[in-house]
Amino acid sequence: MGVSNTDSDKTQEEEQQDLPKVVLFRPPPAFSLIGEESFASNKFQFLKTYDSQLPLDQYLPTHSHSIKAILSSAGAPVNADILQLLPEVGLVVTTSAGLNHVDIPECRRRGIKIANAGHVYSDDVADLAVGLLIDVLRKVSASDRYVRQGLWADKGNYPHGSKLGGKRTGIVGLGNIGYEVAKRLEAFGCAVSYNSRKKKPYVSYPFYHNVCELAANCDALIICCGLSDETRHMINKPVLSALGKEGFIVNIGRGDIIDEKEMVSCLMRGEIAGAGLDVFENEPNVRKEFFAMDNVVLSPHRAVFTPESLKDLSQLVVGNLEAFLSNKPLLSEYVDNK
Ligand SMILES: O=CC(=O)O
């Protein structure tokens, strides 16, 4: 009996060895948050380069013919140097909504498909965007600190915040996430307008082709777009000046979309009223200047991480990989509709 068990285990092991490989260069945050087993499949096997001491250019060539796909995450770059070591790769799946860590032109050139987190996180990110806006307007975190420090009894009431309803809000990037933010802000009684690469035919919100003009006509700007060469530092000094000293900014996109140095100067000089930030230029390192600002709410790039959405994400990731390996359409293929 013992012998036949060992035999069948060995066969299973051998079968596993024959499965197509999906390579990982870094464990995606979702592995530790909901368990790597949620991403398991009997159609492929993960190959984790971080389990080996070997440098990639020695490790990958020994497996390169069985590696058919890459599983990546935000901050784990998939660049031309890596792709060059993987001649058989036909798919990059990323657990993130953002794709700024993937060399999209190189994937296009090689005919490699890309799949991202699709709509999985849109509700959570939109909730956090509105949460950050309410927090900074109504001073939720700042007054929480005030109460905890025992200052209420000593110094009296904390300064009042400002009402959300009636605010003119400007969405920068009206994709899935931006649209969910817009719907929520409308429900709160805000006026919504937006800037995007193109005017969207399916919404009646006022469209501003120029982000500076949008800022000049808003009380709060919500940054929801992806990071690209075009959007890097798109929110610069002129945009912040147009937003003005009564204006608030929320960023749930990527830190580099805002010129952070300029934003810090504007906040210090009272040239904008406050900020709610989930993303930063040099995260996880955050500029110390923010720590002393009571009109800034800071969140450690957590907008997407709820266990509910991560469960959906695991199904989407496995579904994309299995679909690709059986020549079926991907569930959330990234299509660049520039
Ligand atoms: O920031 C997180 C993501 O892009 O999914």
Side-chain angles (χ1 to χ4, degrees), residues 20 43 319-330:
K43 303 276 190 315
N320 271 314
L321 288 165
E322 290 184 348
F324 169 72
L325 293 169
S326 45
N327 284 320
K328 295 201 177 123
L330 299 179

Side-chain angles (χ1 to χ4, degrees), residues 11-27:
T11 314
Q12 264 185 8
E13 225 172 77
E14 278 166 5
E15 273 174 11
Q16 281 266 312
Q17 292 304 326
D18 290 342
L19 289 174
K21 306 283 182 291
V22 175
V23 71
L24 286 96
F25 301 102
R26 199 185 281 186

Side-chain angles (χ1 to χ4, degrees), residues 74 95-100 117 121 125 252-254 278-279 301 303-305:
T95 60
S96 57
L99 281 167
N100 53 297
Y121 305 128
V125 179
I252 46 81
R254 284 286 183 269
D278 184 50
V279 286
H301 201 150
V304 301
F305 294 131

Side-chain angles (χ1 to χ4, degrees), residues 160-221:
H160 296 301
S162 174
K163 187 181 174 82
L164 175 61
K167 288 276 181 299
R168 297 167 307 154
T169 55
I171 315 288
V172 179
L174 201 74
N176 297 327
I177 294 172
Y179 184 56
E180 289 302 325
V181 173
K183 284 199 311 198
R184 283 158 176 71
L185 290 174
E186 241 189 326
F188 275 103
C190 296
V192 173
S193 49
Y194 73 103
N195 160 267
S196 236
R197 282 185 297 196
K198 284 191 209 140
K199 192 173 184 321
K200 309 282 177 184
Y202 55 86
V203 295
S204 55
Y205 306 130
F207 169 70
Y208 287 87
H209 181 68
N210 182 304
V211 76
C212 236
E213 271 173 39
L214 176 71
N217 286 284
C218 278
D219 304 307
L221 268 190

Side-chain angles (χ1 to χ4, degrees), residues 273-290:
L277 307 170
D278 184 50
V279 286
F280 303 87
E281 269 190 339
N282 190 28
E283 59 189 49
N285 302 303
V286 174
R287 286 175 195 270
K288 304 272 179 297
E289 295 96 315
F290 287 136

